[in-house]
Amino acid sequence: EVHLVESGGGLVQPGGSLRLSCGDSGLPFSDYWMTWVRQTPGKGLEWVANIKQNGTEKNYVDSVKGRFTISRDNAKNLVYLLMNSLRVDDTAVYYCARGSAVFDSWGQGTLVTVSS
Amino acid sequence: DIVMTQSPDSLAVSLGERATINCKSSQTVLYSSNNKDYLAWYQQKPGQPPKLLIYWASTREDGVPDRFSGSGSGTDFTLTISSLQTEDVAVYYCQQYYTTPITFGQGTRLEIK
């Protein structure tokens, strides 16, 4: 059974950085693309980034390009989202999800708050 | 970007009655080479992450009750719950995966009348 767990969220000032992690305690996820999706009350669900099984292909929404980096460590069953130059409008619950386009398993999410 | 627009924003239906949620994409999500619509539906209950219900516009995910069905093609899609149960109270989202960025509808809140 897939059980995704995110960590690393918290309060950060504008311009700051955070690194989110997502682990799978079930089957190894090296066979799957992995994705980060965020959710805010105002903008709803927003796809952020995804990464191919071997990490050779990555895609980002325009609003985070150049600021966020997705990566993975298949030996540790972990996927990461390094977030730099954070802005107030990056405030959201960040979910990791399994899949490149259709997301059949989701974590519970981690809250990122960007505020001074 | 493909804009996904759902209607209505909220809906109240009596137990046992049919609930219908609509989703319209700003451009087609039908890929002509395989005749598949790149459209999914999710259910989100309070305090929980979204749950995949339907993909390819009409294929139910394993374990999803058959009272949930998806229909439509091209730019217009519908999620139907044939007989509303109390556990179906949730927000429902459509999502296109025809092209990046992947985009979601704004959500439809479904309540019991």
Side-chain angles (χ1 to χ4, degrees):
Chain A
E1 181 181 343
V2 178
H3 185 57
L4 297 170
V5 179
E6 302 94 340
S7 61
L11 174 64
V12 61
Q13 292 188 336
S17 299
L18 276 179
R19 189 180 78 160
L20 306 183
S21 300
C22 171
D24 177 3
S25 61
L27 292 173
F29 64 36
S30 56
D31 288 345
Y32 301 96
W33 281 73
M34 295 297 293
T35 295
W36 288 95
V37 175
R38 64 186 179 184
Q39 185 170 32
T40 63
K43 292 184 67 177
L45 290 165
E46 182 179 36
W47 172 83
V48 174
N50 63 14
I51 184 168
K52 196 174 180 178
Q53 291 92 328
N54 59 6
T56 57
E57 185 175 340
K58 306 174 185 181
N59 300 289
Y60 300 90
V61 68
D62 281 351
S63 60
V64 309
K65 281 180 183 174
R67 300 189 300 122
F68 290 13
T69 302
I70 190 171
S71 61
R72 66 192 297 163
D73 184 338
N74 286 338
K76 296 181 179 179
N77 278 11
L78 289 170
V79 61
Y80 304 101
L81 187 67
L82 176 60
M83 305 185 294
N84 294 324
S85 303
L86 280 161
R87 309 190 300 220
V88 170
D89 62 357
D90 293 318
T91 295
V93 174
Y94 285 73
Y95 295 101
C96 70
R98 186 175 76 172
S100 63
V102 174
F103 312 121
D104 62 357
S105 295
W106 297 64
Q108 288 298 312
T110 187
L111 176 62
V112 171
T113 302
V114 185
S115 175
S116 54
Chain B
D1 298 1
I2 297 178
V3 176
M4 307 299 291
T5 304
Q6 293 180 227
S7 62
D9 289 335
S10 63
L11 179 63
V13 173
S14 300
L15 286 173
E17 296 299 305
R18 178 184 301 262
T20 301
I21 298 170
N22 301 301
C23 174
K24 188 174 184 67
S25 57
S26 61
Q27 62 190 76
T28 187
V29 298
L30 174 64
Y31 193 37
S32 56
S33 66
N34 60 9
N35 201 37
K36 285 183 176 291
D37 288 284
Y38 284 57
L39 190 284
W41 289 96
Y42 297 84
Q43 174 194 66
Q44 187 176 30
K45 298 181 179 180
Q48 297 184 19
K51 173 188 173 184
L52 176 64
L53 296 176
I54 286 170
Y55 56 97
W56 299 131
S58 61
T59 301
R60 259 190 311 275
E61 172 73 339
D62 289 346
V64 173
D66 60 7
R67 64 179 181 273
F68 291 90
S69 64
S71 62
S73 184
T75 61
D76 292 278
F77 301 90
T78 300
L79 174 70
T80 302
I81 307 171
S82 60
S83 176
L84 189 69
Q85 307 299 305
T86 54
E87 61 265 32
D88 301 335
V89 170
V91 179
Y92 292 84
Y93 296 92
C94 61
Q95 174 225 322
Q96 66 80 20
Y97 49 102
Y98 181 86
T99 187
T100 55
I102 290 165
T103 49
F104 293 85
Q106 81 276 17
T108 295
R109 185 174 302 277
L110 178 59
E111 300 172 334
I112 304 292
K113 185 186 291 182

